[in-house]
Structures are given as structure tokens and as C-alpha cells.
């Protein structure tokens, strides 16, 4: 185990993806406090596009500031890794792995999202591998994640990366129309 190589805004990886024949330059980097407005714009945009995230209302700047401060502190304390996906200077994706504590401090929970127009380009698969490498550096041995039952694309990506389902908790999501959806828990060892 080694401490996370966190530095504000540090670039972790860069690569090109292709969309409709055009090259998109993708930067994976650590957050800094100067990302507050970009990160707020991102979370409030992505939550409107997908029904697969837990967030279901707009966040205030104060709430996002609290999240960003806590996340950066977590990275300095070697408890959390957060990586933004940036295209043309704009945050288009966000992912984290956060350690549990005490006797389960070797277990990390992963969460990931991308703006819809950047999905299906292979970015999520590559991005998850990077997040897991960083989590392993931080001492994470088991990665846990979950997806709402009907999120077939996320399940496909997670299975492809070696995650195994543990089970599905019924009625984990309740939508505004009162309908429920289960949430499947998955795990993967980091050897
Ligand atoms: C889930 C998510 C992170 C995946 O990232 P991504 O960049 O879109 O994924 P990739 O392009 O790397 O891979 C997509 C894979 O899913 C497959 N796929 C696409 N739509 C699918 C569907 N409806 N059912 C099953 N598989 C599907 C693709 O064929 C591809 O598979 P392949 O690599 O074997 O060819 C991203 O789509 C996302 O952020 N979605 C919205 C928010 C979300 O659902 N977050 C996860 C919450 S648990």
C-alpha cells in the first residue's frame, strides 16, 4: 500500500476516444477546489439525463462544496479516490472509490457516471480500470458497487470487468410515480 498520489487537478491518464468518426481527447484527472462550479454543473446535468443515479434533485452550490471539500480531504487521508473525466476543459464524468472503515477498511465502494453523449465510447470501461488501480494503491482489496436492476449497460460493463453479483435488494429505488426498482450489489477482488 502507498499513499494516493493526490495533487489538485493532477492528470492521471489521457487517451483518445472516437465518436462518429471524430477523435475526442479524454483527460482523467483529480479534482481541485477550483472545480466547484464545473462539478456542480456536471452533477446537475447528469442527474437529469439518467434515471440510474441515486441523486434525484438539483444540488446547491453549498452542497456540492461540502462534497468536494470532503472528497479532497478523503484523498489526502488515503480514504477516497475521485477522478473527473474532462473533454475540452469540461467535466463530463465523475467516479469515486471510497473506503469503508475499521474492520472493513479494505473494502471500497465504487460509483461512476458519464454525460450521455460520452457513453458507449469505451470511456467507462477504461475509466473504471484506472479507478480500481488507484483504489488498489490505496489499500482497497475488495471493490463493491451496485446498479439499479434495469441498468443493463452498467451491468454489462461491470460483468465484463469481472464483478460478480451478490444479490438484489428489492424496492431499493422509488420513483416519483411511486414505482419501485431493485438494486443489484456486485463485488470484485483486486488481486
Ligand atoms: C454505465 C457507464 C458508466 C458505462 O460507461 P460507458 O463509457 O458508457 O461504457 P463503455 O462504452 O466502456 O461500454 C459499454 C458496453 O455496454 C454495452 N451496452 C451498451 N448498451 C447496452 C445495453 N442496453 N445492454 C447491455 N449492454 C449494453 C456496449 O456494447 C459496451 O459493451 P462492450 O464493451 O462489450 O462492447 C455509463 O454508460 C454511464 O455513466 N451511464 C449513465 C449513468 C449510470 O448508469 N451510471 C452507473 C450507475 S450504477
Amino acid at each position: 500500500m502507498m499513499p494516493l498520489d493526490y495533487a489538485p487537478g493532477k492528470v492521471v491518464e489521457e487517451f483518445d476516444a472516437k465518436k462518429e468518426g471524430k477523435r475526442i481527447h479524454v483527460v482523467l484527472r483529480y479534482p481541485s477546489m477550483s472545480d466547484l462550479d464545473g462539478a456542480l454543473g456536471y452533477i446537475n446535468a447528469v442527474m437529469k439525463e439518467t434515471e440510474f443515479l441515486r441523486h434525484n434533485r438539483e444540488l446547491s452550490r453549498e452542497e456540492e462544496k461540502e462534497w468536494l471539500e470532503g472528497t479532497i480531504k478523503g484523498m489526502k487521508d488515503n480514504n477516497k479516490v475521485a477522478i473527473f473525466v474532462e473533454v475540452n476543459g469540461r467535466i463530463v464524468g465523475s467516479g469515486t472509490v471510497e473506503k469503508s472503515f475499521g474492520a472493513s477498511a479494505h473494502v471500497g465502494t465504487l460509483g461512476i457516471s458519464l454525460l450521455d453523449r460520452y457513453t458507449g465510447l469505451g470511456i467507462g470501461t477504461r475509466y473504471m480500470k484506472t479507478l480500481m488501480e488507484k483504489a488498489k494503491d490505496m489499500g482497497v482489496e475488495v471493490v463493491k458497487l451496485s446498479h439499479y436492476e434495469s441498468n443493463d449497460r452498467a451491468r454489462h460493463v461491470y460483468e465484463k470487468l469481472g464483478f460478480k453479483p451478490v444479490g438484489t435488494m428489492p424496492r431499493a429505488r422509488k420513483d416519483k410515480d411511486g414505482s419501485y426498482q431493485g438494486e443489484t450489489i456486485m463485488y470484485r477482488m483486486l488481486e
Side-chain angles (χ1 to χ4, degrees):
M1 180 165 89
M2 49 185 160
L4 192 69
D5 58 343
Y6 176 72
K10 178 178 171 168
V11 173
V12 175
E13 195 179 335
E14 294 184 68
F15 57 91
D16 287 340
K18 256 196 179 163
K19 185 179 166 77
E20 291 149 12
K22 284 191 191 146
R23 249 171 4 115
I24 297 173
H25 190 63
V26 180
V27 177
L28 305 185
R29 65 165 181 84
Y30 292 142
S32 77
M33 274 322 287
S34 62
D35 286 316
L36 177 56
D37 289 311
L40 179 66
Y42 170 72
I43 189 68
N44 284 334
V46 74
M47 80 171 61
K48 284 183 196 133
E49 286 184 347
T50 169
E51 77 270 35
F52 295 132
L53 299 178
R54 220 177 294 281
H55 287 297
N56 64 356
R57 64 160 178 87
E58 272 210 5
L59 295 187
S60 67
R61 196 168 190 271
E62 206 40 54
E63 286 171 312
E64 186 64 8
K65 184 163 175 265
E66 212 173 282
W67 178 83
L68 198 54
E69 279 170 350
T71 295
I72 289 172
K73 182 177 184 311
M75 294 181 79
K76 289 179 179 162
D77 293 346
N78 217 39
N79 281 327
K80 184 170 182 176
V81 55
I83 299 180
F84 285 147
V85 183
E86 196 175 70
V87 174
N88 294 329
R90 187 175 169 218
I91 297 171
V92 304
S94 173
T96 56
V97 181
E98 186 164 15
K99 280 187 192 173
S100 185
F101 67 97
S104 292
H106 62 295
V107 180
T109 301
L110 185 150
I112 185 173
S113 63
L114 286 171
L115 285 182
D116 190 55
R117 90 183 74 128
Y118 296 102
T119 61
L121 309 179
I123 297 174
T125 303
R126 184 142 179 186
Y127 182 31
M128 280 196 55
K129 287 183 186 162
T130 304
L131 270 173
M132 288 193 285
E133 275 166 27
K134 294 295 179 189
K136 192 175 171 190
D137 288 349
M138 251 173 25
V140 172
E141 296 172 27
V142 187
V143 181
K144 178 178 146 188
L145 53 74
S146 65
H147 66 81
Y148 290 124
E149 236 179 332
S150 63
N151 194 349
D152 295 333
R153 178 169 55 193
R155 181 171 53 245
H156 175 87
V157 172
Y158 301 156
E159 281 173 349
K160 191 175 69 172
L161 290 171
F163 283 84
K164 303 273 183 249
V166 177
T168 299
M169 185 179 130
R171 295 197 175 194
R173 180 183 178 89
K174 188 174 184 179
D175 280 309
K176 287 180 180 127
D177 65 0
S179 61
Y180 294 103
Q181 200 178 144
E183 181 172 354
T184 302
I185 319 291
M186 300 181 94
Y187 75 96
R188 197 199 120 153
M189 305 302 172
L190 294 182
E191 323 294 353

